Amino acid sequence: MAPAKLLLVLPVLLLTACRSLPDSALPPLGQSSFSLYQQQTRGWLAQHRQFQTTDHLQELQWNGPQEWRPPADISSKPQKGILLVHGLGDSPWSFHDLGEQLARQGFLVRTVLLPGHGSRPEDMLHVTLEDWQRVVDEQVTVLRKEVGQVYLGGFSTGGNLVTDYAYRHGDIAGLVLFSPAFKSDSRIDWLAPWISWARPWLRDPEAMATTQNPVRYLNVPTNGFAQFYRSSAQVQDDLAQAYTKPVFMVVAEHDSVLDTQYLLDTFSHRFEHPDSRLIWYGEAPATRDPRVIVRTDFLPEQRISQFSHMGMLFAPGNPLYGMQGSVRLCRNSTDAQQTELCEQTGQVWYSAWGYQQPGKVHARLTFNPYFEWQGEIMRAVLQ
């Protein structure tokens, strides 16, 4: 094997060799139906989850695979189905509002729980990209047997997984992508596979007050970032070729995680279908692509300074992440004083991770004021 190829393969070999957890440390896979997959996954979560509230049944509902069916007056047997895949450290709750929205548009909607998620961050120490790909492969196969057209949707790392699947399977009808993590804004993300075996955590969990909330991890093992990097490298290889099916894509200009210019260029030059649309939240970018729709992400009347990586997924009325939601993400930077002020005050501004402005306290923006309008653009693309 050539030295250059050996350098590419070695991180994967190291990750495979280091995987020592028994199969019981990951949720069971291999089910032949979604209902069985849902039932067995929730049963596994009941035994393995580190619960954050006293309402264990509610947390199992939030973190387990979900299904939404279209109203009976639209179709007794849905002709279209979509499988939604969450991002790194997240859970099926990411699609709580989007699932309902797509079901109203006539889709049979399902979500999956990626192995290593939903239980406790330690369960991601030995998970692999292949584990994530397997659950997507299995549940697309199940969905394909029940509907005529299969679409795929993903948030962040989930966007990588579904895009790679669509490139490998020509029968996928189209894609729905929220903050797809095709390329991070870090120049050293390639190091994650090399150091994950030597430094399991980038942030020591013992030094944190909490490592998760009811629906997502607040700390992720280095191996999680390593598998994310592998997924992004794989999808970048895919994107060397054009994709010709309709794509609905949403990006926040001030996303603190992703290379948004790369996402804009990818949409314009690789996603060729004339009905595809990119919603860009921010200032108007330098592009002549008429398929790019721009909306400002500075909304001072709602105390929004800029949109975040995750915010476009949730409606303002979301019970956890909405304007009056019960979960506020105050750790929005490394500034401990700002975090404390955010937790103590009722009047906060909202932004992406890391944004600060004198005289204002910022929490992470976790809702989208344009959610219903965004859904209508999505409907037009998919229909």
Side-chain angles (χ1 to χ4, degrees), residues 15 189 192-194 196 221-231:
L15 289 166
D189 56 355
W194 295 87
S196 61
T222 312
N223 179 57
F225 296 108
Q227 304 312 312
F228 151 71
Y229 173 75
R230 292 183 61 207
S231 77

Short mmCIF file of all heavy atoms in Angstrom, two decimals, residues 15 189 192-194 196 221-231:
data_model
loop_
_atom_site.label_atom_id
_atom_site.label_comp_id
_atom_site.label_asym_id
_atom_site.label_seq_id
_atom_site.Cartn_x
_atom_site.Cartn_y
_atom_site.Cartn_z
N LEU A 15 -9.26 3.35 15.04
CA LEU A 15 -10.59 3.43 15.65
C LEU A 15 -11.22 2.06 15.77
O LEU A 15 -11.84 1.74 16.77
CB LEU A 15 -11.48 4.35 14.80
CG LEU A 15 -11.12 5.84 14.86
CD1 LEU A 15 -11.82 6.58 13.75
CD2 LEU A 15 -11.47 6.42 16.21
N ASP A 189 -9.74 19.89 12.12
CA ASP A 189 -10.69 18.82 12.39
C ASP A 189 -10.16 17.46 11.96
O ASP A 189 -10.55 16.42 12.50
CB ASP A 189 -12.04 19.10 11.72
CG ASP A 189 -11.93 19.32 10.21
OD1 ASP A 189 -10.79 19.36 9.70
OD2 ASP A 189 -12.99 19.46 9.56
N ALA A 192 -8.88 14.90 14.66
CA ALA A 192 -9.72 14.17 15.61
C ALA A 192 -9.54 12.66 15.54
O ALA A 192 -9.42 12.00 16.58
CB ALA A 192 -11.19 14.56 15.41
N PRO A 193 -9.51 12.03 14.34
CA PRO A 193 -9.31 10.57 14.32
C PRO A 193 -7.97 10.14 14.89
O PRO A 193 -7.84 9.01 15.38
CB PRO A 193 -9.41 10.24 12.82
CG PRO A 193 -10.19 11.35 12.22
CD PRO A 193 -9.78 12.57 13.00
N TRP A 194 -6.98 11.02 14.83
CA TRP A 194 -5.65 10.65 15.30
C TRP A 194 -5.52 10.73 16.82
O TRP A 194 -4.73 9.98 17.42
CB TRP A 194 -4.60 11.56 14.65
CG TRP A 194 -4.50 11.39 13.18
CD1 TRP A 194 -5.24 12.04 12.22
CD2 TRP A 194 -3.62 10.51 12.48
NE1 TRP A 194 -4.87 11.62 10.98
CE2 TRP A 194 -3.88 10.68 11.09
CE3 TRP A 194 -2.64 9.61 12.89
CZ2 TRP A 194 -3.18 9.97 10.12
CZ3 TRP A 194 -1.95 8.90 11.91
CH2 TRP A 194 -2.23 9.08 10.54
N SER A 196 -8.25 10.75 19.10
CA SER A 196 -9.39 10.28 19.89
C SER A 196 -9.02 9.12 20.80
O SER A 196 -9.57 8.98 21.89
CB SER A 196 -10.55 9.88 18.97
OG SER A 196 -10.18 8.85 18.10
N PRO A 221 -17.56 13.06 23.29
CA PRO A 221 -16.20 12.50 23.26
C PRO A 221 -15.47 12.86 21.95
O PRO A 221 -16.11 13.10 20.92
CB PRO A 221 -16.42 10.99 23.35
CG PRO A 221 -17.77 10.83 23.96
CD PRO A 221 -18.57 12.01 23.48
N THR A 222 -14.17 12.87 22.01
CA THR A 222 -13.36 13.16 20.82
C THR A 222 -13.72 12.21 19.68
O THR A 222 -13.70 12.61 18.51
CB THR A 222 -11.87 13.03 21.16
OG1 THR A 222 -11.59 13.75 22.37
CG2 THR A 222 -11.01 13.62 20.05
N ASN A 223 -14.05 10.97 20.02
CA ASN A 223 -14.41 10.01 18.98
C ASN A 223 -15.63 10.46 18.18
O ASN A 223 -15.74 10.17 16.99
CB ASN A 223 -14.67 8.63 19.59
CG ASN A 223 -15.07 7.61 18.54
OD1 ASN A 223 -14.35 7.37 17.58
ND2 ASN A 223 -16.24 7.02 18.71
N GLY A 224 -16.56 11.16 18.83
CA GLY A 224 -17.71 11.67 18.10
C GLY A 224 -17.27 12.64 17.01
O GLY A 224 -17.77 12.59 15.87
N PHE A 225 -16.32 13.53 17.33
CA PHE A 225 -15.81 14.46 16.33
C PHE A 225 -15.02 13.72 15.26
O PHE A 225 -15.03 14.13 14.09
CB PHE A 225 -14.94 15.52 17.00
CG PHE A 225 -15.69 16.40 17.97
CD1 PHE A 225 -15.51 16.28 19.33
CD2 PHE A 225 -16.60 17.35 17.50
CE1 PHE A 225 -16.20 17.08 20.22
CE2 PHE A 225 -17.29 18.15 18.38
CZ PHE A 225 -17.10 18.02 19.75
N ALA A 226 -14.35 12.63 15.65
CA ALA A 226 -13.61 11.84 14.67
C ALA A 226 -14.55 11.22 13.65
O ALA A 226 -14.28 11.24 12.44
CB ALA A 226 -12.81 10.75 15.39
N GLN A 227 -15.67 10.69 14.12
CA GLN A 227 -16.63 10.08 13.19
C GLN A 227 -17.33 11.15 12.35
O GLN A 227 -17.64 10.92 11.17
CB GLN A 227 -17.64 9.24 13.96
CG GLN A 227 -17.03 8.16 14.82
CD GLN A 227 -15.97 7.34 14.09
OE1 GLN A 227 -16.19 6.87 12.97
NE2 GLN A 227 -14.82 7.16 14.73
N PHE A 228 -17.58 12.31 12.94
CA PHE A 228 -18.10 13.42 12.14
C PHE A 228 -17.13 13.77 11.02
O PHE A 228 -17.54 13.96 9.86
CB PHE A 228 -18.35 14.66 13.00
CG PHE A 228 -18.20 15.94 12.22
CD1 PHE A 228 -19.15 16.31 11.28
CD2 PHE A 228 -17.09 16.76 12.40
CE1 PHE A 228 -19.00 17.46 10.53
CE2 PHE A 228 -16.93 17.91 11.66
CZ PHE A 228 -17.89 18.27 10.72
N TYR A 229 -15.84 13.87 11.34
CA TYR A 229 -14.86 14.22 10.31
C TYR A 229 -14.86 13.18 9.20
O TYR A 229 -14.81 13.53 8.01
CB TYR A 229 -13.46 14.34 10.91
CG TYR A 229 -12.42 14.54 9.83
CD1 TYR A 229 -12.29 15.77 9.19
CD2 TYR A 229 -11.62 13.47 9.41
CE1 TYR A 229 -11.38 15.94 8.18
CE2 TYR A 229 -10.70 13.65 8.38
CZ TYR A 229 -10.58 14.90 7.77
OH TYR A 229 -9.68 15.06 6.75
N ARG A 230 -14.94 11.92 9.56
CA ARG A 230 -14.98 10.87 8.54
C ARG A 230 -16.20 11.04 7.63
O ARG A 230 -16.12 10.85 6.41
CB ARG A 230 -15.00 9.50 9.20
CG ARG A 230 -13.72 9.11 9.91
CD ARG A 230 -13.83 7.70 10.47
NE ARG A 230 -14.05 6.73 9.41
CZ ARG A 230 -14.68 5.57 9.57
NH1 ARG A 230 -15.19 5.24 10.77
NH2 ARG A 230 -14.83 4.74 8.56
N SER A 231 -17.35 11.41 8.23
CA SER A 231 -18.56 11.60 7.42
C SER A 231 -18.41 12.79 6.48
O SER A 231 -18.87 12.74 5.34
CB SER A 231 -19.78 11.77 8.32
OG SER A 231 -19.84 13.07 8.89
#
